[in-house]
Amino acid sequence: MEEREVQKFDIIVVGAGPAGAAAAVVAARGGARVLLVERAGSAGTKNMIGGAVFLTPLKEIFPDCWQDAPYERFINKHTWSLLGDNTSVDVSCDFPLEAKSASIYRSKFDLWLVEKAKEAGAYFAPSTLVKHLIIKEGRVCGVETELEEIESDIVIIADGVNSLLAKESGLRKDYAAKDTFLSVKETRKLSKEIIEERFNIEKGTKNGAARNFIGGLRLEESPFAMGFMYTYYDAVSIGIGVNLDDLSRLGLNPSDLLERLKEHPVVKTLIADSELLEYSAHLIPEGGYKKLPELYDNGVMLAGDAAGFVNAIHFEGTNFALMSGKYAAETALAALKIKNFDKSTLKLYKRKLKRSFILKDLKSYKNVIGNLYSRTDSLMNYYPQKAAEFFKIFSGANCKPKREEFREFVFEFIKGRRLRELFEDFCAFVSSIFGVLK
């Protein structure tokens, strides 16, 4: 019986999201024979993002064509809102001439990335489910799909937070519930004229706005959660990310939490008369630096969400994905040059990550999420309410001496058990800031 010929590539990249597509682009440009595998029928159809991608990594990877990506709006207005029961205290900043990010639809953006990979010379295989890694003599040397085995010198795993291949490789275990967030999002239709009016955007431009919401769920015990909103050209996204452990412990439904956020008076006004276009959900690895897996082994590397590269504080994930894919591809090209695909060579990947902002930032922020999570009630309920009370006094005129009003406010703020909690909150805040700065 004649044996079936086995295909062979230099590099197989599993997952055609930002990490995988960036890896395929860089590797193909470097002359490697690259296969980019995607289980969905089209890139981006199974992926979700809050709404925006940072522009700096795109400029680095695509210096000649980054402007051509299918952006919706360039985000040059950012607002952070502390939501009380019916109030909002906002910190806002505008960058009218220098947008650092842009809102996107993943279905369009990921497709653009894949087209760039194909233009660079990569082979793209959609609707292809990778069932297993091929491991021989302790080295990953290909993948097994539903139809065939495909060999390669190196496999770059970039298939997301639920990557079974990352676990099969032995590099990663399952993420614990407390280290994982579930993000649910609606995309809602609004005319560009209404968007420009409500978000104070210059008319006739592709400028845009982003908002982040803390609090406002009006629950006796709030989960650790943060809301977000992004403007598209003629739509907005509204969503919330919530800790999985809190969802289970408190018996909450993420869709109900999103409804609560949408019913907050401030948020409700922003999305009034909008029409639901799409609902989506996505798991996010937020264990941070302390929960990072091994990132490489003989013949294999992890990139993007599969490696846990997310900085939740700054809503950074796509930029980590793009750049980690780039570094993985550069490492693979170096390994191909000397024809050594063992971890003794692939350790270059981690060296690149250590020199970059990725591991430096993750290390700096390693205690921040834990500190905030331990102060959930203060962060989600107490401080948003107190901030609103302070500014009601500061901006009001109640025909009462301001000195008396502020004295009452300070007394209420620090009295009883809140004095102890205030000290603990302060310590957690200082610890987080020191960790970032040191």
Side-chain angles (χ1 to χ4, degrees):
M1 182 176 177
E2 185 177 344
E3 291 187 5
R4 183 177 60 183
E5 182 179 353
V6 177
Q7 293 191 71
K8 172 71 186 294
F9 288 84
D10 296 326
I11 302 167
I12 295 175
V13 182
V14 183
V25 166
V26 174
R29 283 179 187 162
R33 192 164 184 262
V34 181
L35 175 66
L36 176 60
V37 181
E38 170 57 43
R39 66 188 177 96
S42 179
T45 57
K46 293 184 177 294
N47 297 326
M48 173 198 153
I49 190 174
V53 61
F54 290 93
L55 299 177
T56 302
L58 288 170
K59 292 176 182 179
E60 181 167 336
I61 298 172
F62 304 101
D64 299 325
C65 61
W66 68 270
Q67 303 97 323
D68 302 331
Y71 307 118
E72 287 290 306
R73 288 185 179 273
F74 292 97
I75 306 300
N76 51 20
K77 180 189 294 289
H78 295 259
T79 303
W80 292 263
S81 300
L82 289 175
L83 299 181
D85 287 345
N86 298 294
T87 60
S88 179
V89 175
D90 301 336
V91 175
S92 184
C93 56
D94 291 9
F95 306 97
L97 302 178
E98 188 183 13
K100 294 293 186 181
S101 61
S103 57
I104 59 167
Y105 288 111
R106 284 290 298 270
S107 57
K108 296 179 181 179
F109 181 73
D110 288 15
L111 188 61
W112 180 82
L113 289 175
V114 167
E115 287 302 314
K116 293 304 172 186
K118 290 163 64 177
E119 289 173 14
Y123 296 86
F124 179 52
S127 302
T128 302
L129 176 63
V130 175
K131 297 178 65 177
H132 298 289
L133 297 170
I134 299 173
I135 303 176
K136 296 179 181 179
E137 298 180 354
R139 184 172 75 83
V140 174
C141 53
V143 300
E144 176 189 339
T145 73
E146 292 179 303
L147 301 176
E148 61 185 331
E149 291 186 353
I150 310 173
E151 294 184 350
S152 67
D153 295 314
I154 292 173
V155 174
I156 297 173
I157 299 174
D159 55 347
V161 62
N162 289 320
S163 177
L164 297 177
L165 298 181
K167 287 176 271 188
E168 184 181 8
S169 71
L171 293 173
R172 206 193 85 188
K173 298 179 181 179
D174 279 325
Y175 290 117
K178 67 179 180 180
D179 299 321
T180 310
F181 269 51
L182 176 63
S183 180
V184 293
K185 183 189 80 169
E186 290 181 356
T187 304
R188 306 190 67 87
K189 177 76 172 178
L190 273 178
S191 71
K192 64 182 182 64
E193 290 81 11
I194 291 178
I195 290 172
E196 290 167 352
E197 179 182 348
R198 289 184 185 173
F199 292 89
N200 194 26
I201 294 170
E202 184 181 355
K203 292 182 179 180
T205 69
K206 290 193 72 173
N207 291 346
R211 294 189 70 147
N212 298 120
F213 304 107
I214 300 173
L217 298 179
R218 291 165 288 185
L219 290 166
E220 185 173 341
E221 185 175 1
S222 177
F224 188 48
M226 293 186 71
F228 57 86
M229 179 179 285
Y230 293 90
T231 59
Y232 299 108
Y233 186 67
D234 55 1
V236 296
S237 67
I238 172 71
I240 190 168
V242 58
N243 183 271
L244 274 186
D245 192 54
D246 276 2
L247 283 178
S248 175
R249 180 176 60 85
L250 300 174
L252 298 172
N253 184 313
S255 297
D256 292 341
L257 293 178
L258 180 55
E259 288 302 316
R260 282 182 170 272
L261 178 63
K262 286 163 52 184
E263 285 300 314
H264 189 280
V266 173
V267 180
K268 189 174 183 178
T269 300
L270 293 172
I271 62 172
D273 302 318
S274 61
E275 174 189 349
L276 178 63
L277 296 175
E278 179 186 58
Y279 178 89
S280 54
H282 180 62
L283 289 176
I284 303 172
E286 297 201 355
Y289 186 80
K290 293 181 178 179
K291 299 299 175 69
L292 287 179
E294 295 296 324
L295 300 172
Y296 63 94
D297 202 350
N298 298 323
V300 63
M301 289 174 279
L302 305 183
D305 278 9
F309 292 151
V310 172
N311 185 340
I313 298 299
H314 296 280
F315 284 74
E316 291 183 81
T318 307
N319 56 331
F320 281 29
L322 288 164
M323 295 305 293
S324 63
K326 175 179 181 289
Y327 299 141
E330 290 172 346
T331 300
L333 290 172
L336 286 167
K337 187 174 182 179
I338 63 174
K339 300 187 184 306
N340 185 324
F341 314 108
D342 294 339
K343 58 184 179 182
S344 59
T345 300
L346 299 189
K347 66 182 180 182
L348 173 63
Y349 177 48
K350 191 166 185 178
R351 288 206 299 269
K352 286 178 173 288
L353 290 167
K354 282 184 174 180
R355 290 196 295 264
S356 77
F357 69 97
I358 295 177
L359 288 189
K360 287 179 180 179
D361 277 358
L362 289 177
K363 187 174 183 179
S364 294
Y365 282 80
K366 65 182 179 182
N367 294 319
V368 175
I369 287 292
N371 287 339
L372 294 179
Y373 184 72
S374 68
R375 315 307 303 161
T376 297
D377 179 62
S378 297
L379 183 67
M380 301 296 163
N381 290 327
Y382 190 68
Y383 290 121
Q385 287 293 126
K386 289 302 178 183
E389 290 176 21
F390 174 84
F391 281 101
K392 280 182 181 178
I393 298 171
F394 193 87
S395 59
N398 300 317
C399 297
K400 186 177 181 180
K402 285 290 190 293
R403 181 173 61 180
E404 291 181 14
E405 289 190 283
F406 281 122
R407 280 178 175 174
E408 290 175 6
F409 171 80
V410 171
F411 178 75
E412 290 294 326
F413 188 78
I414 65 174
K415 75 175 183 179
R417 67 182 184 90
R418 288 297 177 187
L419 181 60
R420 174 176 55 81
E421 290 192 351
L422 184 64
F423 177 72
E424 292 173 351
D425 293 342
F426 176 76
C427 290
F429 175 76
V430 171
S431 174
S432 298
I433 294 297
F434 179 73
V436 173
L437 295 179
K438 73 176 182 179

